[in-house]
Amino acid sequence: MSNVLLIAEHDAGVVKKTSLKALTAAKVIATKQGGNVTVLVYGAGAPAAAEILKTFGVSTVYTVQGEVFDHPVAEALLAATIEAQKASGATFVLAASSSTSKDFLPRVAARLNAGMASDVMAIIDAKTFKRPMWAGNITATVELTTALKVATVRATEFETASEGGGTGTVQALSVPIDSGSLKSRFVKRVEVKSTRPDVTSAARVVSGGRGVKSAEGFKIIENLADALGAGVGASRAVCDAGWVPNDLQIGQTGKVVAPDLYIAVGISGAIQHIAGMKGSKVIVAINKDPEAPIFQVADYGLVADLFVAVPQFIEAIRS
Ligand SMILES: Cc1cc2nc3c(=O)[nH]c(=O)nc-3n(C[C@H](O)[C@H](O)[C@H](O)COP(=O)(O)OP(=O)(O)OC[C@H]3O[C@@H](n4cnc5c(N)ncnc54)[C@H](O)[C@@H]3O)c2cc1C
């Protein structure tokens, strides 16, 4: 049996949407290689997350608990994943692409002597995948030739899995770890509180670029986002300038988003930015330079001074 093991992330027991999308990918792979989907969840909220996940047509949900898994470092997740892989007999281990999975899954691949594909966008068969290269300018088709395989999947490219298809069992795994033996340790978690929707799951995203000129100027982006009930993003130039926090960055080295509507304001459209938003269903660009590359990917473009056009836009929405 060639089972698949998905490592799912959750927030206090609520399974992340990105993991439910990765579950769809896990199901496709399991069908193609003829096995079951199993899942691993870790940390204090793991039992609650497992109760949700077991209703999604998976065979087993493994839970791992203990203080070290509440804010786990990559070494701890490596140990937990190896235990779950052994217990499940999985020949394929995957997770949604995230800063966490990018940290620990390559270690899992190294430990298992497994080939790894990152940011999988499409599954051709159980060993052949499409993934982006060169900041998304090239889509490569890669084949994993090892017996065990590891992948991260780009959640924006897969539908959210739906419940049904049988109820799986929940099994607690014991993964004893001496936190003193780990080479890194969790120090603190700084949460950015926002009342706005998260850009990775928002239906609408408004992003601002260097064209806003300053931190003060960026407020116009926030006002437009609030008028639309949208998430707020930014180009790297804006984050690097310290006008907004880094977690707003969209692009190759930031977040990858694919909302129904993406509005890029005062953003030139460098390939590294486009790599993070070109999957959006409708792209609107507002830029005063008619030659700006962003217009090449935009469905609707407005050549205008953002400080004139955006307030008019907000007024039109509000009225
Ligand atoms: C390895 C690497 C990784 C990178 N990763 C990322 C990434 O993840 N995300 C990312 O965004 N960038 C990334 N970059 C940086 C990227 O190359 C660009 O430098 C950056 O995206 C530019 O940001 P910008 O469009 O806001 O600024 P600019 O390129 O300076 O563009 C500003 C735009 O605003 C317009 N403008 C100015 N004033 C107005 C006005 N009043 N009204 C309307 N329009 C106006 C201008 O015409 C211009 O098009 C990366 C670069 C490298 C080398």
Side-chain angles (χ1 to χ4, degrees):
M1 185 67 91
S2 301
N3 289 339
V4 175
L5 174 66
L6 168 75
I7 321 300
E9 292 184 30
H10 62 90
D11 272 326
V14 179
V15 181
K16 289 192 181 175
K17 202 169 172 188
T18 49
S19 290
L20 290 179
K21 287 173 175 249
L23 180 53
T24 298
K27 286 183 174 185
V28 173
I29 294 167
T31 304
K32 288 188 187 287
Q33 68 177 25
N36 292 321
V37 176
T38 61
V39 186
L40 169 67
V41 274
Y42 53 86
E51 286 305 310
I52 299 170
L53 284 160
K54 74 175 190 186
T55 63
F56 279 77
V58 305
S59 64
T60 311
V61 184
Y62 299 97
T63 58
V64 175
Q65 285 186 277
E67 214 180 315
V68 76
F69 293 107
D70 290 345
H71 298 288
V73 294
E75 290 167 88
L77 288 182
L78 165 65
T81 305
I82 297 296
E83 279 309 312
Q85 184 269 331
K86 277 191 218 147
S88 65
T91 55
F92 206 116
V93 180
L94 82 160
S97 294
S98 71
S99 50
T100 304
S101 64
K102 283 177 186 169
D103 196 13
F104 83 92
L105 268 185
R107 297 168 197 245
V108 171
R111 183 66 63 84
L112 294 176
N113 262 329
M116 177 166 181
S118 304
D119 276 335
V120 165
M121 298 157 65
I123 300 159
I124 295 166
D125 58 42
K127 58 183 177 149
T128 318
F129 308 95
K130 287 188 186 282
R131 62 173 300 266
M133 290 174 70
W134 300 97
N137 273 350
I138 292 171
T139 301
T141 302
V142 294
E143 185 182 328
L144 300 182
T145 56
T146 47
L148 298 181
K149 300 173 182 63
V150 172
T152 56
V153 300
R154 202 170 253 200
T156 50
E157 304 295 326
F158 295 90
E159 296 296 326
T160 306
S162 33
E163 283 181 86
T167 302
T169 54
V170 176
Q171 195 178 318
L173 284 182
S174 162
V175 184
I177 291 182
D178 169 15
S179 55
S181 69
L182 300 175
K183 295 189 185 73
S184 53
R185 70 188 163 88
F186 171 78
V187 178
K188 68 172 175 180
R189 174 182 161 118
V190 182
E191 243 177 277
V192 180
K193 296 249 184 245
S194 173
T195 50
R196 299 191 180 97
D198 174 46
V199 283
T200 54
S201 50
R204 294 179 282 261
V205 172
V206 180
S207 277
R210 192 159 20 211
V212 302
K213 308 278 191 292
S214 64
E216 187 57 31
F218 195 82
K219 293 213 165 72
I220 206 166
I221 304 299
E222 296 170 340
N223 293 343
L224 177 56
D226 290 344
L228 288 166
V232 172
S235 72
R236 177 158 158 181
V238 168
C239 299
D240 285 355
W243 300 343
V244 298
N246 282 324
D247 69 310
L248 262 54
Q249 186 181 316
I250 308 286
Q252 183 192 346
T253 44
K255 290 178 177 161
V256 176
V257 300
D260 295 337
L261 173 66
Y262 186 88
I263 306 182
V265 183
I267 292 178
S268 60
I271 52 165
Q272 296 90 350
H273 185 83
I274 288 171
M277 46 61 80
K278 72 173 175 198
S280 307
K281 289 205 178 80
V282 175
I283 298 171
V284 175
I286 302 174
N287 198 303
K288 68 177 184 184
D289 175 8
E291 303 297 324
I294 191 77
F295 289 125
Q296 288 168 20
V297 294
D299 299 289
Y300 299 93
L302 179 62
V303 179
D305 184 329
L306 71 93
F307 293 103
V308 176
V310 174
Q312 289 173 353
F313 192 2
I314 294 170
E315 211 181 297
I317 295 163
R318 293 218 167 114
S319 64

